[in-house]
Amino acid sequence: MKLLNERKVRFKKNLVGEKEKNKKWIILITLISFLMSVFFLAVSELILQSASSFIAFVTVFVIILIGIVFDIIGIAITAADEAPFHAMASRKYFGARRTLKLIRNANKVSSFCNDVVGDICGIISGTAGALIVVRISQAKSMMESLLYGLLVSGIIAAITVGGKAMGKTIAISNSNYIAYRVGVVLEFVNSKIKIELSKDENRNNNNKKKRGNKTGRNSR
């Protein structure tokens, strides 16, 4: 049996797009991460400062749930297989082409869902947990404050890790189904936006025509 260093093994790199586009995407996703984290941290702190302890716990749970859902989406898109969606797209299934685009851009989808949204949710849930601890531990002894802090942090970490572990299993087992459902939702939203934009464009065109007719009559 030959050792690995006796033979040079070469592996092909997986192509994930053009280098220039990848650089632009990295810069864009970094900027988006910064803006989203600042915005959501500010919003969460404003909500939690005036909310009761129960609402604060619910808010933290919702934030964790959002992170888990996006983690599932990112993994499902990465694990999904293109082959069945080619057939679906040829038969003009609603959302099939959108799903293909997602799968072909799996690295970007994964970066956004898992890294951007997932990490931001993790940071926000940790910050929210700290605010809850501060509120609960008011007028408490140092030992009680420490215990509350450990308990809240442990609960948040357990729910996050356990939820993501369960989510990964669900995502890999049902990757094509989840990817298609995401594609359908995005296609539906996109079609609605296009309809609204086309309506606005038609209104603007009609208004321009009316104005043109009025100016033509006045010139006569």
Side-chain angles (χ1 to χ4, degrees):
M1 186 176 178
K2 292 184 178 181
L3 296 173
L4 186 63
N5 57 5
E6 291 180 6
R7 183 187 294 176
K8 290 183 178 179
V9 181
R10 293 182 180 180
F11 296 98
K12 289 183 179 180
K13 290 183 179 180
N14 294 324
L15 298 175
V16 290
E18 297 176 9
K19 287 184 178 180
E20 193 63 32
K21 287 184 178 179
N22 287 334
K23 286 178 183 178
K24 288 179 180 178
W25 168 250
I26 291 166
I27 294 166
L28 178 64
I29 205 70
T30 304
L31 182 62
I32 290 169
S33 301
F34 173 75
L35 294 173
M36 284 182 67
S37 60
V38 170
F39 175 75
F40 285 112
L41 277 169
V43 170
S44 63
E45 285 188 16
L46 286 171
I47 292 169
L48 293 170
Q49 280 176 0
S50 58
S52 62
S53 297
F54 175 75
I55 298 297
F57 273 111
V58 171
T59 304
V60 171
F61 179 75
V62 170
I63 291 166
I64 293 169
L65 187 63
I66 291 168
I68 292 168
V69 169
F70 272 87
D71 197 61
I72 290 169
I73 292 169
I75 293 166
I77 297 295
T78 306
D81 184 20
E82 275 191 47
F85 296 106
H86 285 291
M88 291 171 71
S90 64
R91 294 174 186 173
K92 296 183 179 180
Y93 275 72
F94 185 80
R97 289 185 182 276
R98 183 71 56 181
T99 308
L100 275 172
K101 286 181 181 179
L102 290 172
I103 295 170
R104 287 169 182 171
N105 293 281
N107 62 320
K108 294 179 181 179
V109 176
S110 178
S111 293
F112 179 77
C113 293
N114 299 99
D115 300 331
V116 177
V117 179
D119 290 349
I120 287 171
C121 286
I123 293 164
I124 293 171
S125 61
T127 306
L131 290 171
I132 292 168
V133 170
V134 170
R135 183 175 297 172
I136 293 172
S137 60
Q138 285 178 352
K140 303 286 184 182
S141 65
M142 188 179 290
M143 184 59 68
E144 286 177 327
S145 299
L146 179 63
L147 288 173
Y148 281 128
L150 292 172
L151 183 64
V152 171
S153 299
I155 290 169
I156 291 171
I159 294 171
T160 303
V161 174
K164 287 193 174 186
M166 185 175 66
K168 281 180 173 64
T169 304
I170 294 168
I172 293 168
S173 302
N174 305 279
S175 57
N176 287 349
Y177 176 79
I178 294 167
Y180 180 59
R181 289 300 168 193
V182 173
V184 168
V185 170
L186 291 176
E187 188 65 30
F188 176 77
V189 172
N190 187 58
S191 63
K192 288 293 180 184
I193 292 169
K194 279 185 177 179
I195 289 167
E196 291 298 324
L197 288 173
S198 63
K199 283 181 180 178
D200 291 337
E201 285 178 3
N202 290 331
R203 285 172 189 169
N204 291 330
N205 291 331
N206 290 331
N207 290 332
K208 285 178 182 178
K209 285 179 181 178
K210 287 178 181 178
R211 288 173 187 172
N213 291 332
K214 285 180 181 179
T215 52
R217 288 173 186 174
N218 292 331
S219 62
R220 288 176 187 175

